[in-house]
Amino acid sequence: MMNVGIIGSGQLGYMMINEGRRLGNKYFVLDSNGVGPASLIADAHFSVDQYKEFVDKCDVVTYEFEHVLEEALLYAEDQHKLKPSIRPVELKKDRSLEKDYLTGIGLKVANYRVAHSFSEAVRYAKDFGKAMIKNSFGGYDGKGQTIYDNGNYEELKGEKFVVEEFVDFDYEASIIASRSEDKSFRYHDPSFNYNRNAIFIYNYAPIMPANMPDIAKKLMDSLDYVGVMGIEFYVKNGEVIINEFAPRVHNSGHHTLLGSSISQFEEHVRAITGIPISQPILYRPSSSINILGTKLSTDAWNSILSMSSTQIYWYGKEEIRRRRKVGHVNVTAGTVEALIDKIGKIMEIIYPDGIENYI
Amino acid sequence: MMNVGIIGSGQLGYMMINEGRRLGNKYFVLDSNGVGPASLIADAHFSVDQYKEFVDKCDVVTYEFEHVLEEALLYAEDQHKLKPSIRPVELKKDRSLEKDYLTGIGLKVANYRVAHSFSEAVRYAKDFGKAMIKNSFGGYDGKGQTIYDNGNYEELKGEKFVVEEFVDFDYEASIIASRSEDKSFRYHDPSFNYNRNAIFIYNYAPIMPANMPDIAKKLMDSLDYVGVMGIEFYVKNGEVIINEFAPRVHNSGHHTLLGSSISQFEEHVRAITGIPISQPILYRPSSSINILGTKLSTDAWNSILSMSSTQIYWYGKEEIRRRRKVGHVNVTAGTVEALIDKIGKIMEIIYPDGIENYI
């Protein structure tokens, strides 16, 4: 039994605590946003100015999001308590470092160039023909990025940009993998992911893994990584190109809460507390569908839960606004075909007038 | 979203909260034992003298154990908030009432007689030849009962006894069923149960249901029951005889936490909060093994979690004593045969010198 600290108090931390409960640990949260979902169910929560007290109280400290209080990360790292280490967070702070690191260890990303002004970025984009221009610092869920297409783009502010050649992918995919201190490596079956307006909408597993597990292992070994990582890919003609990685439990791993022998959240807690991680078995094809920017009506709630093998996770966020994740639906089915059919029905229930009105 | 009150603060309430979290309710506990497992993760807990405040704060009140503060049950019933109602609790307070009720609605129990002194009970037992003598009031996990066999028995204190003809059963089994306000009825696949020294050790599902679902439906309909109920059976030559029922989530339903599309705990929360209950799908054969009277060593813990498709639930109880449930292991396998093999291995890990030393 350990005191486990989580930096960040969103829904990822919340599910980490809820899934980690059975292991008997205590869970403490460093909450940078008032009282977030994770704080509501933690054994105790601390405000950001209490970060030293928080770290001192914990046997191990992890993060549920990589853009959190740097002092807390540094102090936990300094106390040899931070898992995963601060290294992947540093890579994530600057997209250009992430790209350079991935290519440096021989992994394939989209062709890219680093620009030090927006006008330079536009020049590179023009060279590529069609490209994504992304602010190198911060930004997630599509913030701080624009598509350059045939001279059309949105102006971005910033000092450094990564310009990626547009990948005309067949589909997007991801893998959730875990690695422990003793270098054991495990992974959940990769999933097909549907994103829209640069935000994750739904996914389902399993899909053919291609070489995604090998890529995950190579990346995690190179970082001597401890914990769960999510890696997003573009897939084109069976070839797998890394979009980006997340050094934490991942939005595309929520489906592991239903229909799997272990969830990504329990796997993460096991890895960072030094107990054996487990090769996940997917009992049946499984999907997760985000609830974004809408409070489900009672009818919608009941319609979804009346379907066979469904769960709703409601995060208890007070404010519901466009693009904000407020919950998700998990669903399984006997076959991938039947699952896709159920996903369609659930999407219609959640977004009766079309997803574009919520994101 | 509702305020859900739970009377009792043991591991059953604890799992109810943990599994009910995703539905977004608040959970409050009336704790009769200081600070039990459920109180540790509840949104708030109340001491027994605060029972009115507790009930007033809740939209619905349930119980995780039938032998709890009667004033609280009565007050919640009076406020039309108690689900299931107080009726099944009243039947459980006196074994003779339970037996009379079951036979009264045409369900089969072992032959029995009610005695008003222990000497009278012994006389009836002698007539049966071999019998169980049980104190009619209180008593669970084998407390307050003795076997009468060939003139041998233990002396029991009490005012009223139920004497049951001994059933030379082939095996014991149970069903976990649920019923909602709109009279919907659902059930998990029945399980084979292994009890020893009158305490539940492990079980596995599925087994052939025989007429267990019909029995459950008849009993629950007759009580206009809302929530989850566990019913224990003796099975002999395919014939099913009710041992007893529990008007709550049940020890033999812990396996529904792994390998099922819904756990008994979520099903119960759904039923009492008026959202649709779901017909459970068992993804794979699934088992639960109690951890009784022992603190698992780190090696034991790691050995169990190194097996495929296992989980440990540790209840966080401070005191570990003989016969006390301090956790359980869930495990699934591809076939019942493979599952039985895994159960054997796990039993050896938990109880290296034999289960009889722990119960």
Side-chain angles (χ1 to χ4, degrees):
Chain A
M1 311 306 138
M2 284 191 176
N3 287 342
V4 176
I6 302 168
I7 305 179
S9 63
Q11 67 267 17
L12 294 172
Y14 172 97
M15 287 181 265
M16 220 185 273
I17 296 174
N18 211 45
E19 281 290 294
R21 274 284 171 221
R22 65 179 69 100
L23 294 167
N25 303 304
K26 295 275 177 200
Y27 295 88
F28 302 103
V29 167
L30 189 72
D31 194 331
S32 49
N33 284 314
V35 181
S39 290
L40 293 175
I41 66 163
D43 291 287
H45 57 97
F46 296 77
S47 60
V48 289
D49 56 321
Q50 297 173 296
Y51 72 86
K52 284 192 181 177
E53 190 188 337
F54 161 79
V55 170
D56 291 345
K57 200 175 169 75
C58 294
D59 300 302
V60 61
V61 174
T62 192
Y63 40 94
E64 55 117 46
F65 189 50
E66 56 274 27
H67 303 291
V68 289
L69 189 74
E70 193 168 11
E71 291 90 327
L73 292 169
L74 286 167
Y75 183 68
E77 175 94 349
D78 198 50
Q79 305 291 311
H80 309 290
K81 291 182 179 179
L82 193 68
K83 291 174 191 174
S85 75
I86 204 160
R87 181 84 179 104
V89 176
E90 288 168 348
L91 296 178
K92 290 302 295 184
K93 274 171 58 185
D94 181 339
R95 280 183 196 276
S96 73
L97 294 182
E98 180 185 3
K99 296 280 185 200
D100 292 349
Y101 185 83
L102 292 170
T103 53
I105 61 168
L107 296 177
K108 190 160 172 57
V109 299
N111 293 323
Y112 71 98
R113 291 190 71 177
V114 179
H116 293 272
S117 72
F118 188 70
S119 58
E120 190 187 353
V122 171
R123 268 204 318 280
Y124 295 154
K126 200 172 171 184
D127 291 344
F128 283 130
K130 190 171 176 184
M132 293 296 299
I133 304 176
K134 297 177 178 175
N135 193 323
S136 206
F137 302 106
Y140 60 95
D141 281 350
K143 291 163 196 158
Q145 62 184 54
T146 185
I147 192 163
Y148 176 95
D149 187 10
N150 209 7
N152 294 315
Y153 56 89
E154 268 176 53
E155 189 89 19
L156 296 182
K157 287 201 192 332
E159 290 168 12
K160 193 177 179 186
F161 299 88
V162 172
V163 186
E164 291 172 27
E165 185 173 26
F166 186 81
V167 180
D168 187 21
F169 53 81
D170 299 328
Y171 62 91
E172 291 175 273
S174 63
I175 193 168
I176 306 295
S178 59
R179 188 176 179 276
S180 60
E181 215 109 30
D182 69 3
K183 305 182 202 308
S184 299
F185 172 77
R186 309 276 185 262
Y187 62 94
H188 283 85
D189 283 308
S191 67
F192 167 98
N193 298 346
Y194 176 66
N195 295 285
R196 187 147 166 194
N197 293 0
I199 199 163
F200 176 89
I201 312 293
Y202 68 77
N203 73 335
Y204 60 80
I207 56 169
M208 291 295 291
N211 59 336
M212 293 176 208
D214 302 332
I215 292 170
K217 185 168 189 315
K218 188 166 190 178
L219 174 54
M220 293 167 87
D221 280 344
S222 84
L223 290 165
D224 197 18
Y225 192 90
V226 174
V228 159
M229 176 185 277
I231 311 175
E232 295 178 45
F233 303 97
Y234 303 122
V235 184
K236 187 173 171 61
N237 297 328
E239 195 194 20
V240 164
I241 299 165
I242 300 179
N243 173 11
E244 63 174 338
F245 75 86
R248 52 170 165 83
V249 290
H250 193 248
N251 208 2
S252 75
H254 290 356
H255 70 97
T256 65
L257 287 162
L258 186 68
S260 278
S261 63
I262 188 165
S263 71
Q264 64 166 347
F265 303 100
E266 179 173 347
E267 196 82 288
H268 184 71
V269 173
R270 286 195 191 188
I272 64 169
T273 57
I275 59 176
I277 54 177
S278 173
Q279 180 55 36
I281 298 167
L282 188 62
Y283 298 136
R284 313 214 290 176
S286 180
S287 163
S288 181
I289 302 151
N290 263 343
I291 305 171
L292 296 152
T294 177
K295 187 180 184 323
L296 286 187
S297 69
T298 303
D299 277 356
W301 186 274
N302 289 347
S303 295
I304 291 167
L305 291 183
S306 294
M307 292 170 70
S308 155
S309 203
T310 53
Q311 288 186 323
I312 296 178
Y313 280 76
W314 190 255
Y315 305 154
K317 294 180 180 177
E318 300 244 323
E319 194 196 338
I320 296 174
R321 58 172 186 268
R322 201 173 176 102
R323 293 176 71 84
R324 189 173 207 206
K325 289 166 217 161
V326 294
H328 72 263
V329 177
N330 279 346
V331 55
T332 75
T335 64
V336 170
E337 291 66 32
L339 183 60
I340 291 171
D341 186 55
K342 279 175 143 178
I343 294 169
K345 291 195 174 107
I346 293 168
M347 285 289 290
E348 274 175 39
I349 296 169
I350 304 176
Y351 308 110
D353 47 346
I355 178 73
E356 60 278 7
N357 291 306
Y358 301 85
I359 53 171
Chain B
M1 311 305 139
M2 283 191 176
N3 287 343
V4 176
I6 302 168
I7 305 179
S9 64
Q11 66 268 14
L12 294 172
Y14 171 97
M15 288 182 266
M16 220 184 274
I17 295 173
N18 211 44
E19 281 289 295
R21 274 283 171 224
R22 64 179 71 101
L23 294 168
N25 303 304
K26 295 278 177 198
Y27 295 87
F28 302 103
V29 167
L30 188 73
D31 193 331
S32 49
N33 285 312
V35 182
S39 290
L40 293 174
I41 65 163
D43 292 287
H45 57 97
F46 296 77
S47 60
V48 289
D49 56 320
Q50 296 173 299
Y51 72 87
K52 284 192 182 179
E53 190 187 335
F54 160 79
V55 171
D56 291 345
K57 201 175 167 74
C58 293
D59 300 302
V60 61
V61 174
T62 191
Y63 39 95
E64 57 117 46
F65 190 50
E66 56 275 27
H67 304 291
V68 290
L69 189 73
E70 194 168 9
E71 291 90 327
L73 292 169
L74 286 168
Y75 183 67
E77 174 93 350
D78 197 50
Q79 304 291 311
H80 309 291
K81 291 181 178 180
L82 193 67
K83 292 178 191 173
S85 75
I86 204 161
R87 181 82 180 107
V89 176
E90 287 168 347
L91 296 178
K92 291 302 295 183
K93 273 171 61 185
D94 181 339
R95 281 182 197 277
S96 73
L97 295 183
E98 179 184 4
K99 296 280 186 202
D100 293 348
Y101 186 82
L102 292 171
T103 53
I105 60 168
L107 297 177
K108 191 164 170 55
V109 299
N111 294 324
Y112 72 98
R113 291 190 71 177
V114 180
H116 293 274
S117 74
F118 188 69
S119 59
E120 189 188 354
V122 170
R123 268 204 319 279
Y124 295 153
K126 200 173 172 185
D127 292 343
F128 283 131
K130 189 170 176 184
M132 293 295 301
I133 305 176
K134 296 177 179 175
N135 193 322
S136 206
F137 301 106
Y140 59 96
D141 281 351
K143 291 163 196 157
Q145 61 182 56
T146 185
I147 191 163
Y148 176 96
D149 188 9
N150 210 6
N152 294 314
Y153 55 89
E154 268 176 52
E155 189 87 21
L156 296 182
K157 287 202 196 326
E159 290 167 14
K160 192 177 180 186
F161 299 89
V162 172
V163 186
E164 291 172 26
E165 184 172 26
F166 187 81
V167 180
D168 188 23
F169 54 79
D170 300 328
Y171 62 91
E172 292 175 273
S174 62
I175 193 168
I176 306 295
S178 58
R179 189 175 179 276
S180 60
E181 215 109 31
D182 69 2
K183 306 181 201 308
S184 300
F185 171 77
R186 310 276 186 261
Y187 62 93
H188 283 86
D189 283 309
S191 67
F192 167 98
N193 298 346
Y194 177 65
N195 295 284
R196 190 150 163 188
N197 294 359
I199 199 163
F200 176 89
I201 312 294
Y202 68 77
N203 72 336
Y204 59 80
I207 57 168
M208 291 295 292
N211 59 335
M212 293 176 209
D214 301 332
I215 293 170
K217 185 166 188 317
K218 188 166 190 177
L219 175 55
M220 293 166 88
D221 280 344
S222 84
L223 290 165
D224 197 19
Y225 193 90
V226 175
V228 159
M229 175 185 279
I231 310 175
E232 296 179 45
F233 303 97
Y234 303 122
V235 184
K236 186 170 171 64
N237 297 329
E239 196 194 18
V240 164
I241 300 166
I242 300 179
N243 174 12
E244 62 174 339
F245 74 85
R248 52 170 166 83
V249 289
H250 193 248
N251 209 2
S252 75
H254 290 356
H255 71 97
T256 65
L257 287 161
L258 186 68
S260 279
S261 63
I262 187 165
S263 71
Q264 64 166 347
F265 304 100
E266 179 174 346
E267 197 82 288
H268 185 71
V269 173
R270 286 195 190 188
I272 64 170
T273 57
I275 59 177
I277 54 176
S278 172
Q279 180 54 37
I281 298 168
L282 188 63
Y283 297 137
R284 312 213 291 175
S286 179
S287 163
S288 180
I289 302 152
N290 263 344
I291 305 171
L292 297 152
T294 178
K295 187 182 183 324
L296 286 186
S297 69
T298 303
D299 277 357
W301 187 275
N302 288 347
S303 296
I304 292 168
L305 292 183
S306 294
M307 293 170 69
S308 155
S309 202
T310 53
Q311 289 185 323
I312 296 178
Y313 281 76
W314 191 255
Y315 306 154
K317 293 181 180 176
E318 300 244 321
E319 193 196 339
I320 296 174
R321 58 173 187 268
R322 200 173 177 104
R323 294 178 70 84
R324 188 174 208 206
K325 289 166 215 159
V326 294
H328 72 262
V329 176
N330 279 345
V331 55
T332 75
T335 63
V336 169
E337 292 66 34
L339 183 60
I340 291 170
D341 186 56
K342 278 175 145 179
I343 293 169
K345 291 197 173 106
I346 293 167
M347 285 289 290
E348 274 175 39
I349 295 169
I350 303 176
Y351 308 110
D353 48 347
I355 177 73
E356 59 279 7
N357 292 305
Y358 301 86
I359 53 169

